[in-house]
Amino acid sequence: MTCDLEGGNLGSMNKVVEVAIGLPVSKTFHYLIPEEFRGSLRIGMRILVPFKGRKVTGFAIDLLDAPPAGIEEKLREVEDLLDEMPLIDPAMLLFCRWVAEYYVYPLGEVIKTALPPGLHLKSEWVVSVTDRGRMALRRGDCGPMQTRVLNEIEGRPSVPLKDLLRAFNGEVTRDRLFSWKKQGLLHVEAELDGKEVGPKLKKVVQLSGGSIPVPPSRKKAEILKWLEGRGKVSYSELTRQFKSPSQAVHSLEAAGYLLISTEEVIRNTSVQSDLKPYPKPEPTRNQQAMLGEILKGVHSKRYSPFLIYGVTGSGKTEIYLRAIEEVLARGKEALVLVPEISLTPQLLSRFKDRFGENLALLHSGLGRGERYDQWRKIWKGEVPIALGARSAIFAPFRNLGIIIVDEEHDPSYKQEDKLKYHARDLAVVRAKQVGATLLLGSATPSLESYRNAETGKFNLLRLPERIEGKSLPQVEVIDLKKGEGLLSEKVRSALQRNIEQKQQSLLFLNRRGFANFILCPDCGLVFKCPNCSVTLTYHFRDRSLQCHYCDYRVLAPGDCPRCEGHRLRGMGIGTERLEQEINSLFPGIKVERMDRDTTRRKQAPQKILKALESGQIDILVGTQMIVKGHDFPNVTFVGVVSADASLHFPDFRSSERTFQLLTQVAGRAGRGETVGQVVIQTFNPDHYSILRAKDHDFLGFYQEEIQFRKALDYPPFSRLVNFRLIGNSEKKTQSLADEMGQEGHTLLKKGYGKGIQILGPSTAPFAKLRGKFRWQMLAKSRNSQLLHQFARTLAASIEGKAKRAGVSLDIDVDPIFIL
Ligand SMILES: [Zn+2]
Ligand SMILES: [Zn+2]
């Protein structure tokens, strides 16, 4: 293997290292490098350093000759090196620094996000009884509480402090334990928690290659004969062939006939696709012209960004595949981002057909070990292509030629917790930093990307037609205000017709469960989640009321708990109820449902899509899971049961999101020989996002929406930062929000006021979520530098107060392009 990860100052004799710690601290720290490590410590390695009485993992981010001026306190020493080679190279470090800066997030935490989970060592406090403590216990010199605690841990090598505190459930405190340490009764020391995921190893046996003289015994001779011509054989295979071969094998090894070694096993990734192979198509003239443009970018070896706007079914995937072939032929690497791998088995199987073993997969659905293996394959330079969900943007390639973001508009590219990065935006940044070609593809580009194409930041490539001249489906809009009920006559007759003609249908409804909420018509009671400010959804299968945000669930009551009325009623419908309605409307046909409830098991989405492909499903009912880029020629009808859920979401992007969803779901119809038919049911038949989706008119939608954004000064015309305060105490969270508001306005008076506007503070759209209270304040500006400066200043002045109040400050920088 080749690991030429040079960390800048290779083997220098620098005396000081700058360290980013993998903890939520925004500063970096300096440590002295002990003599023994000076030759081997390099930038990008993980090291163990003392930090607030513990030992923590840090990342070496710079090496210096002397401490920077102004650091008065005596520097402490690095404890240990955890790596022999840097895990991240200088380019990745640069990328991580950018991310930390932009998203106002600690660098150590960003680097941690960039690495596969499980690589982290953490020290913890462990407690054991001293000899003196043991003696005191025997002599009965201890108080009652001391006796109980010492008895609990005596005779055990050591007990993690937190386990001990938990075992005594608040009866004994940390401070008390430390006071007993001072009395000499306890040892309390830091220890490493070494739950590191490592490579999976197997024992292999092979002939040593020397000539074999007289066979030593029959069994040994048989083993040698069997191994002949087999190369390396795993030891477990040998044990299947020969009964308990261990003694014979070891004596053969001792005699020099055999070599025994260990080898790494790459764990199989659990996302397998076994869909039909897809033949390699000849590119159309349009595709060819487009490839020509892209290849100019690839050959230039400079940052070359493209936005491919191609209607659904226009053959974007083939362009990706061919562009990658070119990049590989030039000895470069390719990174491909997709919204969700488990939902796009067709794309995955096309990549596998084309590139086979050259492909690594990276996404959160993989087990820790699998992810670690895939990551290391890339890190070692063994695979030139990675396909993955948003976190794959951190794939450790060192020679990237192209980054592709498929369905670039998809909201799942945004990480919603912790480091709130947007993988599509980071693709732009990374491509620019390493001078790679960037391909963003979508049938419904995000407003930001299309605006960038308009202003010349991206090269726009258009695929205006479906391949093989197939037409886009015909779309009709049905006004639900006219009281057609759950399924309009149009939808029912289309379903009926498809059943008769043995064609398949999709029904889209973006709400799972049976009823959206339960209402008592006698007293008006609505069942709400005790932890979140939302109503509970009724699930028919297990008669439960569930919160879709925190997973709270209770058994649905038979009568109203407030007025004892008998008329509890489910309001609004979800996919579970829709499936039931379809079953009773069309008995005997095969209906399947695809939503989060039916796809909890690992292979479930693939199984459903495979059943759809092989014609075992007549009608597939589902949430936005069915919207992704599937291509099933026999699906000729798509019904949108209700287009309104996403329209009313409290977000300035709700129209854009609705347009995208409807266009994408409609795009599933008529991929084969028959022209597809789509019916959209809605209470808002005149809304422009619905009318434009009906006409497959992205440009028309863009023109209207961009006016609205401009008038209200929303992105892409301005940039937003959301400061969210989340706390257990309603009062403390609110009063901190007030303070944050005052602080913000003070900053405006101090000069930020010219470029920045503040909205709020106010309660967040979900004022309570998972038991925590939420307030937010938005800052808006056309000047991103100024906005970032403001964000950092405000965060610095609030952080301390927030920590003391037990409230967390969550900074969300709206996805935007800053380039
Ligand atoms: Zn009631
Ligand atoms: Zn809840």
Side-chain angles (χ1 to χ4, degrees):
M1 66 164 131
T2 54
C3 294
D4 53 345
L5 269 173
E6 303 303 337
N9 296 306
L10 168 65
S12 75
M13 295 313 261
N14 287 304
K15 295 191 181 75
V16 175
V17 57
E18 186 183 0
V19 180
I21 287 176
L23 292 172
V25 237
S26 37
K27 282 208 305 183
T28 57
F29 300 86
H30 291 84
Y31 289 88
L32 292 173
I33 310 170
E35 199 81 52
E36 48 178 319
F37 298 146
R38 281 188 199 159
S40 36
L41 176 56
R42 285 189 264 161
I43 293 176
M45 282 185 179
R46 292 174 310 150
I47 55 181
L48 202 62
V49 292
F51 184 78
K52 293 193 175 164
R54 295 193 297 155
K55 289 173 192 167
V56 300
T57 302
F59 301 91
I61 57 166
D62 203 3
L63 297 172
L64 309 120
D65 288 331
I71 293 193
E72 314 281 273
E73 80 265 37
K74 194 177 169 293
L75 293 187
R76 306 221 273 156
E77 286 196 340
V78 170
E79 294 265 351
D80 204 357
L81 307 189
L82 296 175
D83 299 307
E84 292 181 350
M85 273 163 283
L87 290 180
I88 56 169
D89 69 342
M92 181 54 86
L93 181 57
L94 185 74
F95 182 60
C96 288
R97 279 184 189 273
W98 191 97
V99 173
E101 187 83 354
Y102 184 76
Y103 292 105
V104 197
Y105 207 73
L107 178 59
E109 292 274 284
V110 172
I111 298 175
K112 213 163 131 179
T113 312
L115 297 173
L119 270 175
H120 281 275
L121 288 174
K122 224 171 75 190
S123 71
E124 59 180 7
W125 292 110
V126 294
V127 186
S128 55
V129 184
T130 60
D131 286 342
R132 193 158 148 197
R134 221 162 274 134
M135 224 123 80
L137 193 61
R138 301 252 156 75
R139 285 202 303 257
D141 287 348
C142 301
M145 195 63 218
Q146 258 177 2
T147 308
R148 277 177 61 200
V149 172
L150 293 185
N151 269 328
E152 171 76 21
I153 47 182
E154 213 227 344
R156 290 158 70 179
S158 63
V159 179
L161 180 75
K162 59 177 190 303
D163 292 359
L164 194 62
L165 293 176
R166 202 174 305 134
F168 283 88
N169 204 11
E171 288 182 72
V172 65
T173 63
R174 197 187 150 91
D175 287 351
R176 207 146 169 221
L177 290 173
F178 273 88
S179 77
W180 296 347
K181 180 194 173 193
K182 274 197 188 128
Q183 294 169 30
L185 302 172
L186 290 176
H187 283 301
V188 184
E189 49 203 350
E191 196 180 87
L192 279 182
D193 164 14
K195 279 181 226 126
E196 195 160 357
V197 177
K200 190 173 164 186
L201 300 172
K202 67 173 177 190
K203 200 152 92 175
V204 291
V205 179
Q206 61 184 321
L207 293 179
S208 64
S211 61
I212 298 171
V214 193
S217 77
R218 223 185 102 199
K219 186 167 186 181
K220 290 177 190 170
E222 275 174 8
I223 292 178
L224 291 176
K225 192 164 183 323
W226 187 77
L227 282 171
E228 229 172 288
R230 280 198 151 82
K232 280 182 190 166
V233 172
S234 77
Y235 188 79
S236 57
E237 203 180 329
L238 201 72
T239 56
R240 278 196 295 275
Q241 209 56 231
F242 300 93
K243 248 187 199 162
S244 39
S246 141
Q247 219 184 349
V249 166
H250 284 285
S251 87
L252 281 169
E253 188 202 17
Y257 295 119
L258 288 183
L259 293 175
I260 302 178
S261 54
T262 46
E263 223 174 51
E264 187 181 346
V265 190
I266 298 292
R267 302 163 179 94
N268 275 332
T269 54
S270 44
V271 176
Q272 305 287 355
S273 120
D274 47 357
L275 297 169
K276 284 185 222 147
Y278 195 97
K280 183 171 176 175
E282 276 308 306
T284 63
R285 199 179 304 160
N286 210 332
Q287 283 174 324
Q288 210 127 37
M290 195 174 280
L291 263 167
E293 289 298 308
I294 295 166
L295 294 185
K296 270 187 227 160
V298 171
H299 298 163
S300 78
K301 296 179 186 161
R302 281 199 307 267
Y303 167 63
S304 319
F306 296 93
L307 173 64
I308 306 182
Y309 158 48
V311 295
T312 53
S314 58
K316 289 186 288 291
T317 310
E318 188 56 29
I319 294 195
Y320 302 158
L321 295 170
R322 285 182 183 258
I324 292 172
E325 284 174 347
E326 285 289 330
V327 166
L328 260 49
R330 278 170 176 70
K332 293 250 180 180
E333 298 158 328
L335 173 56
V336 185
L337 301 184
V338 295
E340 218 170 322
I341 287 192
S342 64
L343 296 180
T344 45
Q346 287 182 328
L347 187 83
L348 177 61
S349 79
R350 283 185 68 182
F351 270 82
K352 281 197 168 164
D353 285 352
R354 200 66 67 87
F355 300 116
E357 294 301 304
N358 277 332
L359 186 65
L361 292 179
L362 288 172
H363 62 99
S364 55
L366 298 177
R368 274 188 161 203
E370 294 169 337
R371 231 162 127 181
Y372 176 72
D373 283 356
Q374 299 288 316
W375 187 88
R376 280 172 72 251
K377 266 163 71 177
I378 302 168
W379 186 79
K380 292 198 280 184
E382 292 174 355
V383 283
I385 312 169
L387 180 72
R390 62 174 178 252
S391 61
I393 190 60
F394 294 103
F397 285 117
R398 266 159 269 158
N399 192 17
L400 267 179
I402 195 166
I403 303 179
I404 297 172
V405 185
D406 189 31
E407 310 289 349
E408 66 89 25
H409 65 276
D410 198 289
S412 71
Y413 284 123
K414 174 88 188 296
Q415 168 126 322
E416 292 294 355
D417 62 338
K418 295 187 178 154
L419 172 58
K420 296 182 183 53
Y421 65 95
H422 197 295
R424 178 250 283 140
D425 293 5
L426 290 189
V428 181
V429 174
R430 199 169 172 195
K432 188 155 200 195
Q433 284 187 347
V434 300
T437 295
L438 173 74
L439 291 190
L440 306 179
S442 176
T444 51
S446 61
L447 272 258
E448 286 82 0
S449 294
Y450 202 82
R451 175 79 185 161
N452 277 339
E454 259 193 347
T455 55
K457 286 183 183 164
F458 295 162
N459 303 304
L460 181 65
L461 302 173
R462 293 190 56 190
L463 283 170
E465 280 158 23
R466 284 190 159 184
I467 36 179
E468 293 159 31
K470 284 170 193 160
S471 18
L472 286 164
Q474 288 166 351
V475 186
E476 270 176 272
V477 175
I478 301 286
D479 186 355
L480 286 176
K481 291 198 292 292
K482 294 190 175 136
E484 286 231 43
L486 178 59
L487 291 175
S488 60
E489 177 51 37
K490 268 266 153 41
V491 171
R492 272 177 293 163
S493 60
L495 291 173
Q496 183 64 46
R497 186 206 58 217
N498 262 14
I499 291 165
E500 284 160 11
Q501 297 180 355
K502 305 235 176 305
Q503 286 174 336
Q504 295 167 299
S505 307
L506 299 184
L507 280 181
F508 168 72
L509 178 61
N510 217 3
R511 272 188 305 238
R512 62 195 174 91
F514 195 80
N516 299 345
F517 60 96
I518 299 279
L519 169 87
C520 171
D522 299 326
C523 72
L525 178 73
V526 169
F527 290 81
K528 285 196 171 149
C529 176
N531 310 316
C532 311
S533 43
V534 294
T535 55
L536 293 170
T537 304
Y538 177 58
H539 287 247
F540 182 80
R541 205 182 62 84
D542 54 4
R543 304 274 191 279
S544 68
L545 289 170
Q546 294 179 20
C547 172
H548 288 178
Y549 292 89
C550 73
D551 286 332
Y552 171 87
R553 74 179 58 201
V554 280
L555 207 63
D559 293 327
C560 175
R562 194 199 289 168
C563 73
E564 291 170 12
H566 306 300
R567 302 196 298 150
L568 288 181
R569 190 182 288 170
M571 308 296 286
I573 62 152
T575 44
E576 194 185 13
R577 162 112 186 264
L578 181 62
E579 181 191 16
Q580 210 181 70
E581 292 276 331
I582 296 294
N583 271 320
S584 63
L585 215 51
F586 305 105
I589 66 146
K590 184 77 175 104
V591 182
E592 270 288 351
R593 171 160 59 95
M594 187 164 170
D595 56 25
R596 265 193 31 218
D597 296 316
T598 64
T599 54
R600 283 188 202 278
R601 259 175 285 138
K602 250 187 176 178
Q603 295 288 327
Q606 288 96 308
K607 273 190 192 141
I608 295 175
L609 293 173
K610 186 151 176 60
L612 186 67
E613 182 188 58
S614 60
Q616 293 163 41
I617 296 174
D618 297 306
I619 300 176
L620 178 63
V621 171
T623 56
Q624 53 191 327
M625 279 189 173
I626 66 169
V627 174
K628 309 279 167 179
H630 318 305
D631 185 354
F632 297 111
N634 204 33
V635 171
T636 54
F637 174 72
V638 171
V640 176
V641 177
S642 163
D644 303 311
S646 60
L647 209 51
H648 299 307
F649 207 76
D651 181 343
F652 71 90
R653 287 196 174 86
S654 62
S655 300
E656 184 182 5
R657 182 76 191 119
T658 305
F659 174 80
Q660 287 166 349
L661 268 175
L662 294 178
T663 308
Q664 298 280 344
V665 73
R668 301 306 123 218
R671 296 297 192 100
E673 299 308 314
T674 323
V675 177
Q677 188 197 354
V678 178
V679 174
I680 297 174
Q681 303 188 142
T682 173
F683 283 101
N684 301 277
D686 303 320
H687 194 281
Y688 64 99
S689 57
I690 290 171
L691 291 175
R692 298 293 183 175
K694 168 180 178 289
D695 296 334
H696 311 284
D697 183 7
F698 168 75
L699 284 179
F701 171 76
Y702 174 79
Q703 299 302 351
E704 268 188 76
E705 179 69 9
I706 204 86
Q707 303 273 331
F708 154 76
R709 300 279 179 94
K710 196 170 189 174
L712 295 176
D713 209 9
Y714 274 129
F717 297 96
S718 68
R719 285 87 202 270
L720 291 175
V721 176
N722 192 354
F723 303 87
R724 210 174 282 124
L725 293 170
I726 302 170
N728 291 320
S729 150
E730 188 170 12
K731 227 173 100 189
K732 280 184 184 165
T733 313
Q734 180 175 357
S735 83
L736 196 68
D738 290 341
E739 271 187 71
M740 181 168 73
Q742 281 160 20
E743 186 64 38
H745 284 283
T746 311
L747 285 175
L748 292 193
K749 278 186 208 125
K750 282 184 185 163
Y752 285 102
K754 269 174 246 140
I756 291 175
Q757 201 191 336
I758 287 180
L759 309 166
S762 61
T763 53
F766 293 95
K768 195 180 172 197
L769 200 64
R770 296 180 196 100
K772 301 201 182 222
F773 297 91
R774 295 149 51 92
W775 282 73
Q776 69 179 31
M777 183 172 88
L778 278 170
K780 194 156 92 169
S781 175
R782 290 189 170 223
N783 180 340
S784 97
Q785 242 172 350
L786 187 74
L787 188 60
H788 268 84
Q789 210 180 339
F790 174 81
R792 269 187 289 274
T793 315
L794 183 66
S797 70
I798 289 295
E799 248 165 12
K801 284 178 198 155
K803 208 166 192 179
R804 283 192 293 281
V807 175
S808 65
L809 171 65
D810 204 71
I811 295 177
D812 194 348
V813 182
D814 188 72
I816 45 168
F817 290 114
I818 58 101
L819 295 170

